[in-house]
Amino acid sequence: MTHLPKILFLIPLYLMSCTTSQIEEEFPQKEEQTAIGFNAKVNSRALADIDDVQENGFAVWGGYENTNVFNGDKVTYSNGTWGYGTAKYWILNKEYTFFATYPHTASVTATNGTYKLDVETPAAADLDILTASAYTDTNVLNFNPEVALQFTHLMTRVNVQIGQDFKENPYVNYRFRVNKLTLSNVKSKGTYTITVSNNTTSHSWAYETTPMTFTYTGSDNGPGDFSAEGNNLMIFGNNGLILLPQPTGSIMVDLEYEYGIVDIENETIVWEPKTATMNLPSGTWEGNTSVNYIITLSENNVIKFTQVTVATWGANQSGGTIIIK
């Protein structure tokens, strides 16, 4: 009987002398704890938006250290809640990173907080990819078990606007009609890499040598869309081209148009064919931005570039202005 109190007294002393990691090893946590949940929002006013994501779902990758808890798991929306099948549970004292894509069929490789996404622009240049990343530290007391994913557009939205700037003349009016416009040497295939660490992210693009050419002619959009009397024409439609973010200095623009002189008194018009070839202004297309290049036609043939400006999708924006005088 004299030994029993000593044995009982040694048990708490043993626990007090252990480190946190030793306790975890001998008394591992069970999975009867908080499940990992998701909440998704989309920063968008056009093309893919939150309705599309809710209807079709997204894919998620992520985990802690070298453990991929999620590996392209599809997350779907039902009755106001996002779910992904069998619940997966948080492990305390771990730092988690996540990466998500829409559409859910994207090709991603995940390695310890670094995510690589392969992207190839289709011939229609209409692939709108949404991505989101997140960081959760379960060391923090009362951490949020719901991972907030703020999706943004990965690609750049590019368009070309054409207008005219002819001098007013009481006897002669000027007209123009665009026959063909081509963007060439556009990088169309690459790998996007994002690293999430300590609640910060870094990202980059690596390109393959597969340039593409995107061409629109007057017949593509109907005979009326490429003829105007003082109107501005959006060459690639309302949505523009959806292209990889990339440097722009080597991208070429080829324009074929006709410049018409109207004799008001005699009600006649003479069309003169014109061509122009130029590089886009040097710069870099960034993801989740819109760029609108403005080409202004006049009765001369001097080409002038102005500074490129960009805006987030859905906002009023303008780009490098190309003036043909």
Side-chain angles (χ1 to χ4, degrees):
M1 298 296 294
T2 58
H3 296 286
L4 182 58
K6 293 182 180 179
I7 295 174
L8 293 176
F9 188 65
L10 286 174
I11 294 174
L13 283 178
Y14 171 76
L15 291 176
M16 290 175 62
S17 66
C18 289
T19 64
T20 302
S21 60
Q22 288 173 324
I23 294 173
E24 287 180 350
E25 290 175 1
E26 300 212 12
F27 301 96
Q29 299 179 64
K30 296 181 180 180
E31 290 192 347
E32 294 85 33
Q33 53 181 317
T34 306
I36 301 174
F38 293 99
N39 182 26
K41 297 181 180 180
V42 177
N43 176 23
S44 177
R45 296 185 188 178
L47 297 174
D49 57 22
I50 188 61
D51 292 335
D52 298 310
V53 178
Q54 289 180 351
E55 180 179 355
N56 301 303
F58 62 88
V60 65
W61 291 257
Y64 59 91
E65 297 170 359
N66 287 314
T67 303
N68 289 330
V69 179
F70 295 89
N71 192 19
D73 297 51
K74 186 177 181 180
V75 181
T76 57
Y77 188 78
S78 178
N79 298 322
T81 303
W82 294 97
Y84 52 83
T86 304
K88 301 182 182 184
Y89 296 89
W90 294 104
I91 296 178
L92 299 182
N93 304 313
K94 301 295 182 183
E95 296 179 62
Y96 286 75
T97 65
F98 300 92
F99 180 68
T101 65
Y102 172 88
H104 64 85
T105 54
S107 174
V108 174
T109 302
T111 307
N112 194 22
T114 295
Y115 305 92
K116 295 180 179 292
L117 168 63
D118 294 327
V119 182
E120 184 172 4
T121 305
D126 59 0
L127 177 61
D128 187 12
I129 301 176
L130 301 176
T131 63
S133 62
Y135 168 86
T136 300
D137 185 357
T138 62
N139 292 284
V140 179
L141 185 64
N142 297 325
F143 72 94
N144 189 348
E146 185 178 77
V147 180
L149 295 172
Q150 179 66 62
F151 283 90
T152 59
H153 300 275
L154 178 67
M155 311 286 272
T156 306
R157 188 172 169 185
V158 179
N159 215 332
V160 178
Q161 178 179 334
I162 298 182
Q164 65 178 23
D165 184 25
F166 297 143
K167 297 177 181 178
E168 293 186 5
N169 188 311
Y171 304 105
V172 178
N173 280 346
Y174 300 97
R175 304 286 185 270
F176 72 94
R177 55 190 183 196
V178 176
N179 297 323
K180 186 177 182 181
L181 186 141
T182 301
L183 293 180
S184 59
N185 203 31
V186 180
K187 293 179 174 61
S188 62
K189 189 174 183 179
T191 299
Y192 173 72
T193 299
I194 180 171
T195 298
V196 185
S197 177
N198 295 324
N199 209 21
T200 61
T201 61
S202 60
H203 55 87
S204 62
W205 279 93
Y207 306 100
E208 296 186 21
T209 54
T210 52
M212 288 187 69
T213 296
F214 299 95
T215 301
Y216 276 66
T217 63
S219 60
D220 289 336
N221 286 349
D225 291 349
F226 283 74
S227 297
E229 299 180 3
N231 298 324
N232 292 327
L233 307 176
M234 297 300 289
I235 296 300
F236 295 108
N238 293 329
N239 289 331
L241 299 174
I242 311 303
L243 302 173
L244 269 64
Q246 60 189 278
T248 61
S250 62
I251 297 176
M252 298 296 299
V253 180
D254 290 286
L255 176 64
E256 297 178 11
Y257 67 101
E258 291 180 85
Y259 154 54
I261 302 176
V262 181
D263 186 326
I264 299 176
E265 183 176 356
N266 298 317
E267 296 183 348
T268 60
I269 183 170
V270 177
W271 291 100
E272 180 181 349
K274 298 278 188 178
T275 61
T277 299
M278 65 212 83
N279 285 88
L280 285 184
S282 294
T284 302
W285 292 338
E286 301 291 347
N288 199 43
T289 60
S290 294
V291 183
N292 182 32
Y293 293 95
I294 302 172
I295 298 178
T296 301
L297 307 178
S298 72
E299 59 267 40
N300 299 315
N301 272 328
V302 177
I303 300 173
K304 181 181 178 181
F305 297 98
T306 60
Q307 183 179 359
V308 175
T309 58
V310 298
T312 56
W313 276 21
N316 293 328
Q317 26 68 30
S318 61
T321 301
I322 304 170
I323 302 177
I324 303 176
K325 293 185 176 180

